[in-house]
Amino acid sequence: MAAHSKPAQLGPWGKATAGAAGAAFANVLVYPLDLIKTKLQVQVKKSADVEKQEATASNEVHYKGTWDALTKIKNAEGIAGLYAGMNGALLGVTSSNFAYFYWYSIVRTLYLQYQKSDAHPSTAAELSLGAVAGALGQLFTIPVAVITTRQQTQNKEDRKGIIDTAREVVEGEDGITGLWRGLKASLVLVVNPAITYGAYERLKDILFPGKNTLKPWEAFLLGALSKSIATIVTQPLIVAKVGLQSKPPAARNGKPFKSFVEVMEFIVKNEGALSLFKGIGPQLLKGFLVQGILMMTKERVELMFILFMRFLSKLRSQQLGKAAALAAAAKVASPVIAK
């Protein structure tokens, strides 16, 4: 069927590479938003008087919002401060998206083969396939996310490189398993990409029915809308995951959280229920831009892969044709030489 011609031409490695390239490109463009939303999500909200007292005592900076964080980081560390920890973040984003799209392509292909039908999977099936792919990807890539979160939430004076930060995590209370801190929350959070790509497929059928290749603005719109839906639904879990993977707040006297439920209980008790959605502004904006750019770029990269593969196939056919012609000519000439 025409609707499945594109996946048939591009295998899991091609789709994974396209997804990883799109994610890396998108995250480079909006990385400061990622840094700011992480800092907003990990800080503990306090009254103005308490905030001033603790900030003076510990030199810890508190941010009132996205613009305040942007301004304070730039003034304290310069433009470079807005890109702190970017190397680890890009490694994490690229590897996690590669793993996600690789496993999603495989499990979706297996599902369609099992169904023995050309019909699109239902919304529930799309969500389930996305969850399975996300869970498989998280098992391999969460250590990079832990290291990146730790880097993003450290002060400039305490900030270390990827290797040194990993060593600091391993030398902590949890040992080597500290690199998988927040795994349970991450596995629960596979519903985020599951909702994102499930919504993407549904919205694609609704807004652009029958289209196999989307225009850049169409792919951007679908990606941005689907990610916004997923972010609003899962924001409390995102905040809890960041709390698990960063250093514990001063109020816990260095005692790390043990579960994302414990993080959420701490936030509700100390800051109120609405703080489960802290940082949602930059989180939504980042997700809107990143997912829009990712899907727009992914569609273009997939198309480039397909054209490149067709070129290689055509080139190979030409070479085989020339080889066959030479072999035929040699066979005709050989009786003459024998005489």
Side-chain angles (χ1 to χ4, degrees):
M1 296 286 290
H4 293 292
S5 60
K6 186 175 173 182
Q9 295 175 354
L10 199 60
W13 286 99
K15 285 185 171 294
T17 302
F25 176 68
N27 276 272
V28 166
L29 295 181
V30 301
Y31 181 77
L33 279 174
D34 185 47
L35 178 73
I36 289 168
K37 68 90 181 171
T38 302
K39 287 184 176 292
L40 288 175
Q41 288 168 352
V42 80
Q43 73 177 10
V44 178
K45 290 185 179 179
K46 303 178 179 72
S47 65
D49 293 336
V50 174
E51 185 177 310
K52 285 181 181 179
Q53 291 173 3
E54 293 193 359
T56 303
S58 63
N59 293 324
E60 183 181 348
V61 181
H62 278 259
Y63 309 106
K64 298 176 183 177
T66 304
W67 184 253
D68 183 52
L70 182 71
T71 305
K72 286 180 177 177
I73 294 170
K74 180 181 176 296
N75 291 340
E77 305 179 40
I79 296 296
L82 295 171
Y83 292 87
M86 188 173 76
N87 290 340
L90 285 182
L91 177 61
V93 163
T94 303
S95 59
S96 62
N97 276 274
F98 184 93
Y100 179 85
F101 285 109
Y102 177 80
W103 288 112
Y104 182 75
S105 179
I106 287 178
V107 296
R108 197 172 193 273
T109 300
L110 290 174
Y111 174 82
L112 292 173
Q113 290 176 349
Y114 176 77
Q115 288 294 103
K116 297 180 180 178
S117 170
D118 289 331
H120 284 291
S122 65
T123 301
E126 288 283 10
L127 292 174
S128 299
L129 294 173
V132 171
L136 289 169
Q138 284 294 327
L139 291 174
F140 297 100
T141 60
I142 194 172
V144 182
V146 172
I147 293 168
T148 300
T149 301
R150 186 67 66 91
Q151 285 183 311
Q152 289 179 334
T153 54
Q154 286 174 332
N155 295 325
K156 183 180 179 181
E157 296 76 18
D158 301 327
R159 196 172 296 137
K160 305 177 179 70
I162 295 175
I163 302 300
D164 289 334
T165 304
R167 188 179 293 115
E168 179 183 82
V169 173
V170 172
E171 291 173 353
E173 182 180 316
D174 295 327
I176 189 71
T177 59
L179 291 172
W180 278 267
R181 173 169 281 278
L183 177 61
K184 290 180 181 178
S186 296
L187 290 177
V188 173
L189 268 172
V190 300
V191 298
N192 186 290
I195 293 171
T196 300
Y197 296 110
Y200 183 91
E201 294 296 334
R202 292 303 103 201
L203 289 172
K204 183 179 178 181
D205 289 339
I206 294 170
L207 299 178
F208 308 109
K211 293 196 73 171
N212 296 325
T213 303
L214 298 175
K215 296 177 181 178
W217 73 268
E218 293 172 338
F220 181 95
L221 177 65
L222 288 178
L225 288 176
S226 59
K227 188 63 176 181
S228 296
I229 294 169
T231 297
I232 292 170
V233 172
T234 61
Q235 180 67 9
L237 292 175
I238 294 172
V239 172
K241 178 188 172 186
V242 171
L244 270 175
Q245 294 178 338
S246 61
K247 282 188 174 181
R252 288 183 62 85
N253 299 316
K255 183 182 178 182
F257 293 107
K258 295 296 182 183
S259 68
F260 63 92
V261 174
E262 188 179 5
V263 179
M264 288 193 284
E265 287 177 346
F266 177 85
I267 292 171
V268 172
K269 181 180 178 181
N270 290 274
E271 306 172 56
L274 285 179
S275 289
L276 291 173
F277 290 86
K278 58 185 175 181
I280 195 168
Q283 182 85 44
L284 272 173
L285 181 58
K286 178 219 169 189
F288 185 91
L289 294 173
V290 166
Q291 199 67 30
I293 296 170
L294 187 159
M295 298 311 296
M296 180 175 69
T297 308
K298 179 177 176 288
E299 289 280 336
R300 298 304 99 188
V301 175
E302 283 189 4
L303 184 59
M304 288 171 60
F305 264 105
I306 291 170
L307 293 175
F308 181 64
M309 289 167 64
R310 286 177 179 172
F311 170 75
L312 290 180
S313 178
K314 183 178 179 181
L315 190 64
R316 185 170 179 271
S317 296
Q318 290 175 345
Q319 290 176 339
L320 289 174
K322 288 180 181 179
L326 289 173
K331 189 174 181 181
V332 170
S334 59
V336 177
I337 295 172
K339 291 179 181 179

